[in-house]
Structures are given as C-alpha cells and as structure tokens.
Amino acid sequence: MSSPKISIITPNFNQAGYIEETILSVIGQNYPKLEYIIIDGGSTDGSVDIIKKYEKQITYWVSEPDAGLYYALQKGFDKATGEILGWINSDDKLHPNALHVVGELFDSFENVNWITGCPSGFDEKGYTVALGEVKRWSKYDFYLYDYKWIQQESTFWRRSLWDKAGRFLNKEIKYAADFELWLRFFRYDKLFTVRTILGGFRFRSSSQMSVIHSDKYQEEANGLIDKEILTLSKELKKHLLKYKLLLSVIKYLKRIRIFMVLFSVTYINNKMSDAPELIEFDPKLQKFSLME
C-alpha cells in the first residue's frame, strides 16, 4: 500500500498556549509523506519561538501580518503540493495515527474524494472529552438547513476535488468560509463518513472566537444555503416545466419555493438522499470497508 502525500495547514495568531500541542499532534503522526505548513499572522505572544523550535520538522512556515484566518489558510493551500489536503487550527489537534488512517483510506478507495471522521473534542488540557454522533451526510441535508456539523478538524479531501471547486476559500466570508467550501464540494462529489476519530476541536473556557461568534456563523451559513439553492433552483427549473400547478404555487414563495423545487426534482428522480455508505473498520478483514 502506497502512502499519498498529505498536506496539512495550520493558521495561527497569538495561540502560544496551544500551538505546541497542535504541532506535536501533526509531526508526531510520523506519517512518511507529510507536508506541514504553518502560516502565522505576525504573532507577538511567543508563538514564533515555538514554531522555530520545530522548524526542522515543518515543511514551510512564515510569520507576517495577514487579514485573518481564511487569508492565512489560502496562503497555506497555495503553497501545498500534497495529493490529500486538510487543515488543523492552532488550538485543535489530530488524534494519534490519524494521518495513517487517512492515507490508507484514500489509497484503498479510489472513488472516495472527500472524508470526515467522527466528531470529537478536547478540553483545555488536551484530553479527549467529547465524541459526537456519526452521520451519513447528503447535500440535501444542507439544502434543508440540517448542517450541524461537518467537523473541519476531521475532514480531508483529494487535490482533484479542490481543483474542481476552484482552489480557494472565499475570503469575503468572515466566519463561515469553511461552510461555503463544503457547499462547493457538494456540487462535485459525495462526502464519505468514516467511523473513527481523526481530528478534534478544543473546547476552551474563554476567548474562543468560534463560540463567541457562533450565531453569526450560522447566520452566514443560512445565507449561503439560500444563495446555493437559488442557483440550483434555476438549474433545475427546466425539469419542472411540465408541472404547471406546482410552478403556479411556488411562484409566490421564497424559501419554501426552493424547498419544493428541490424536493420535487429529487422525488421525481427517486433520489431523496444521496448519502454514501459509511466507511467502517472490519475486524475480520483488518481493513476499512464500505458498509450500508
């Protein structure tokens, strides 16, 4: 079994209290084809000293002012050369051997281009304290605003999917650019869920921007879905021209109109859900397999 090259990006700004654990969780994987890139936004709290401590094990790093998280990530992905891509923020962590599992999965399943693991969480000390529900994701879940949550720390994808989706994070979006990326990915491919832990989100007691701005994140996410469905509804409208009664009803509706368009098309095509199989470990075969 070959090991595909994996590029991991870590954006950082003044996270000296946590970034060392993040770095160790990545380089400690001992993955044979790891490209690790750290983009620091000009930290003044000692973060740079910590990065320098491990710079021989970091493929590329830079510390300079930037315009925020998604600008830093874009800079990192522009540098990345791996076949498999993902990112881990500077207060979160990968679980042990996660990259070996990721490499094995992409090497074993040629039709799998995008995966996410079981959501998990760490406390401030770095202990694993939370394990979320395993969910089979469909793009229609998102279109119906049932999107909580694809965990970014546990999500990895092939470069080919990144290329199809435009090779960018939308930096015009302040909070939910990762969410917008998932929406774009759904245009081109299915998300496979793996029943294992890969990365985890760190729960902190204070000053955690993702928690402080969670309402704004959801507001942006809902707006992104609105725009996505409006775009899709225009593309799908031609499939509904013969349903004149339905069209006369939905003419005066907004969000409900969009729901009905999508529901009608998916129902007509007998595709109410396109969630793919789970990927689970088979103890008898000692490998991961697709399970209904």
Side-chain angles (χ1 to χ4, degrees):
M1 183 175 294
S2 63
S3 299
K5 185 177 182 180
I6 300 177
S7 296
I8 300 297
I9 316 301
T10 290
N12 177 71
F13 182 67
N14 287 341
Q15 293 280 17
Y18 302 104
I19 190 173
E20 186 165 22
E21 282 189 61
T22 301
I23 292 172
L24 290 172
S25 81
V26 177
I27 63 177
Q29 300 279 316
N30 294 316
Y31 185 75
K33 294 183 180 179
L34 170 65
E35 179 179 66
Y36 189 30
I37 296 170
I38 299 178
I39 307 296
D40 181 83
S43 294
T44 58
D45 68 340
S47 291
V48 174
D49 291 332
I50 295 171
I51 295 169
K52 286 180 178 179
K53 181 178 176 181
Y54 298 101
E55 63 183 349
K56 290 183 180 180
Q57 295 159 282
I58 297 168
T59 309
Y60 173 85
W61 73 273
V62 67
S63 180
E64 59 189 16
D66 56 43
L69 171 64
Y70 297 118
Y71 286 84
L73 283 168
Q74 186 67 54
K75 192 186 302 183
F77 283 123
D78 288 343
K79 288 282 185 182
T81 62
E83 302 167 59
I84 310 302
L85 304 171
W87 85 78
I88 191 83
N89 291 326
S90 56
D91 55 349
D92 301 323
K93 297 196 300 178
L94 295 178
H95 289 283
N97 298 313
L99 295 186
H100 289 275
V101 172
V102 170
E104 179 179 337
L105 288 167
F106 282 111
D107 190 64
S108 299
F109 302 103
E110 293 183 358
N111 66 319
V112 173
N113 297 308
W114 182 24
I115 65 170
T116 191
C118 177
S120 62
F122 303 102
D123 67 6
E124 289 183 332
K125 294 175 287 188
Y127 300 158
T128 304
V129 294
L131 194 63
E133 178 184 357
V134 174
K135 178 172 180 175
R136 292 172 58 190
W137 287 100
S138 163
K139 61 187 176 184
Y140 298 110
D141 295 321
F142 268 50
Y143 300 158
L144 293 171
Y145 301 84
D146 181 16
Y147 53 75
K148 297 180 183 178
W149 298 102
I150 294 173
Q151 188 178 54
Q152 164 263 307
E153 298 82 12
S154 297
T155 303
F156 303 85
W157 58 89
R158 292 190 195 271
R159 174 171 292 278
S160 57
L161 178 58
W162 175 251
D163 290 344
K164 286 180 183 177
R167 306 177 191 174
F168 72 94
L169 284 154
N170 190 334
K171 300 186 293 294
E172 300 301 314
I173 299 170
K174 187 172 183 179
Y175 302 106
D178 56 341
F179 188 91
E180 193 272 341
L181 181 63
W182 308 153
L183 280 172
R184 267 188 287 128
F185 279 177
F186 272 129
R187 296 177 193 170
Y188 302 99
D189 223 314
K190 296 181 179 181
L191 173 60
F192 285 79
T193 299
V194 188
R195 196 186 291 274
T196 190
I197 52 175
L198 298 173
F201 174 83
R202 189 189 295 265
F203 298 102
R204 288 158 38 198
S205 58
S206 62
S207 301
Q208 193 161 20
M209 301 306 290
S210 58
V211 175
I212 294 171
H213 297 300
S214 60
D215 290 345
K216 294 179 181 178
Y217 184 102
Q218 290 186 54
E219 183 179 344
E220 277 192 352
N222 290 337
L224 289 166
I225 294 171
D226 289 343
K227 291 179 182 178
E228 184 74 5
I229 297 176
L230 281 169
T231 300
L232 290 171
S233 66
K234 292 176 183 177
E235 296 173 0
L236 296 172
K237 185 178 179 181
K238 61 183 179 181
H239 297 292
L240 294 173
L241 291 178
K242 58 183 176 180
Y243 296 93
K244 295 181 180 179
L245 179 60
L246 177 60
L247 288 174
S248 65
V249 173
I250 65 176
K251 180 179 179 181
Y252 302 101
L253 303 176
K254 294 182 179 179
R255 186 172 296 178
I256 295 176
R257 176 191 66 188
I258 298 166
F259 290 166
M260 293 178 71
V261 170
L262 289 169
F263 267 124
S264 299
V265 172
T266 55
Y267 180 78
I268 292 165
N269 293 307
N270 196 27
K271 293 179 181 179
M272 287 300 293
S273 175
D274 68 341
E277 304 96 323
L278 281 174
I279 301 177
E280 300 188 65
F281 183 75
D282 188 322
K284 292 183 179 179
L285 299 176
Q286 285 294 297
K287 67 178 184 179
F288 284 93
S289 300
L290 293 171
M291 303 289 186
E292 289 290 347

